Amino acid sequence: MKHGLKVVEDAAHALPTTYKGKLIGTFDSDATVYSFYVTKTIATGEGGMVVTRNKKVSERCRVMRLHGIDRDVFNRYSSKKPSWHYEIIAPGFKYNMTDIAASLGIQQLKKARAFQKRRSEMSAYYDRVFGDLPVVLPPKAPEGDIHAWHLYVLRLSDKAPVSRDRFIEMMAEKGIGCSVHFIPLHIQPYWRDTYNLKPQDFPNALHLFERAVSLPLYTKMSEKDLKRVVEAVRNILG
């Protein structure tokens, strides 16, 4: 990479996003990291995946994911060395994915495009029906590329009749859960207190945070579910 820097892509929410026709994770970065937590675009319940073209990075990840042991379980039982023998060559962690989770992931991966298609359809519907409200709609993917639509985040404008927090409360009163993605780090206690930060130190992040709200978006949503969300949003903001 230019200047000798190492680049690790955080693609936790991105699968199967493309940029300039290429799938995220196939660029020239040193590694790309995906999350398969239950709320992500494909899920294994917990866990994730690292992809890399760099053999040294790959080997290091394999060692560090399981206590720093030099061979994984399959290698131990297929090696010419006695199966009980292993060596700890680094201060590793317990980060290996379970076989059951991996089997779920293999099946989920086959459905990734179908999941994205459904999320895209729901997001397009939201865009159509919210266009006249006092909100800023989410950005779209460039022409010819794919947006993962992991989240659908509305930004309430200054003309909205209620605050973001009140909007979430009113949606909850209607039995519809919303969330906020994400809370800026500089107002989280650790960074705030460690570095003596104030909310106003990052005014743009604060401004966006105070107005952002994530609406329900998941592949099992029915048309009835979608219309219920839309009716509630329009009732509050219309």
Side-chain angles (χ1 to χ4, degrees):
M1 302 298 288
K2 189 176 181 180
H3 305 302
L5 299 175
K6 300 296 183 182
V7 177
V8 177
E9 294 180 68
D10 178 357
H13 302 166
L15 196 70
T17 297
T18 64
Y19 177 65
K20 294 184 177 180
K22 295 182 66 176
L23 185 69
I24 296 299
T26 63
F27 290 87
D28 294 327
S29 60
D30 294 277
T32 302
V33 184
Y34 300 96
S35 171
F36 299 149
Y37 182 60
V38 68
T39 60
K40 300 303 190 290
T41 52
I42 69 169
T44 60
E46 189 59 274
M49 178 172 68
V50 180
V51 297
T52 180
R53 292 188 178 90
N54 188 310
K55 185 177 180 180
K56 289 184 177 179
V57 172
S58 175
E59 290 174 350
R60 181 66 171 174
C61 287
R62 292 176 189 277
V63 167
M64 296 303 290
R65 71 179 177 178
L66 188 60
H67 305 304
I69 295 174
D70 62 339
R71 295 182 294 156
D72 63 28
V73 173
F74 293 106
N75 285 340
R76 274 192 266 159
Y77 289 98
S78 61
S79 171
K80 292 181 180 179
K81 290 184 179 180
S83 61
W84 57 266
H85 186 270
Y86 63 89
E87 293 179 335
I88 296 176
I89 59 175
F93 305 93
K94 187 69 170 71
Y95 287 166
N96 61 304
M97 180 180 285
T98 67
D99 291 346
I100 293 175
S103 66
L104 290 173
I106 289 170
Q107 298 306 313
Q108 286 270 299
L109 191 59
K110 296 175 183 178
K111 302 175 182 179
R113 295 292 184 183
F115 288 163
Q116 187 280 332
K117 183 175 182 292
R118 178 57 181 155
R119 287 175 176 272
S120 181
E121 291 169 351
M122 292 187 291
S123 298
Y125 175 66
Y126 278 159
D127 280 350
R128 289 195 301 272
V129 297
F130 295 149
D132 62 332
L133 296 179
V135 298
V136 178
L137 300 177
K140 296 178 176 59
E143 185 69 28
D145 274 322
I146 294 173
H147 191 311
W149 290 113
H150 166 57
L151 300 169
Y152 187 89
V153 182
L154 279 182
R155 180 152 44 102
L156 274 59
S157 75
D158 293 337
K159 296 180 180 179
V162 296
S163 69
R164 187 276 313 278
D165 291 358
R166 180 57 185 149
F167 173 85
I168 292 175
E169 290 173 356
M170 294 175 73
M171 291 290 282
E173 290 167 2
K174 298 175 183 295
I176 299 171
C178 297
S179 191
V180 176
H181 297 89
F182 291 93
I183 303 173
L185 291 181
H186 76 285
I187 63 175
Q188 294 284 9
Y190 172 78
W191 285 275
R192 180 196 66 203
D193 299 341
T194 302
Y195 300 104
N196 193 29
L197 298 172
K198 299 178 177 59
Q200 297 76 18
D201 287 345
F202 296 89
N204 291 333
L206 186 67
H207 178 85
L208 294 174
F209 159 66
E210 290 175 340
R211 290 159 176 76
V213 56
S214 298
L215 299 184
L217 187 75
Y218 53 94
T219 54
K220 289 294 186 180
M221 285 186 76
S222 65
E223 295 303 316
K224 182 179 179 181
D225 294 331
L226 279 169
K227 290 178 180 178
R228 181 164 169 251
V229 172
V230 168
E231 181 180 351
V233 172
R234 294 195 63 84
N235 181 262
I236 296 170
L237 298 178

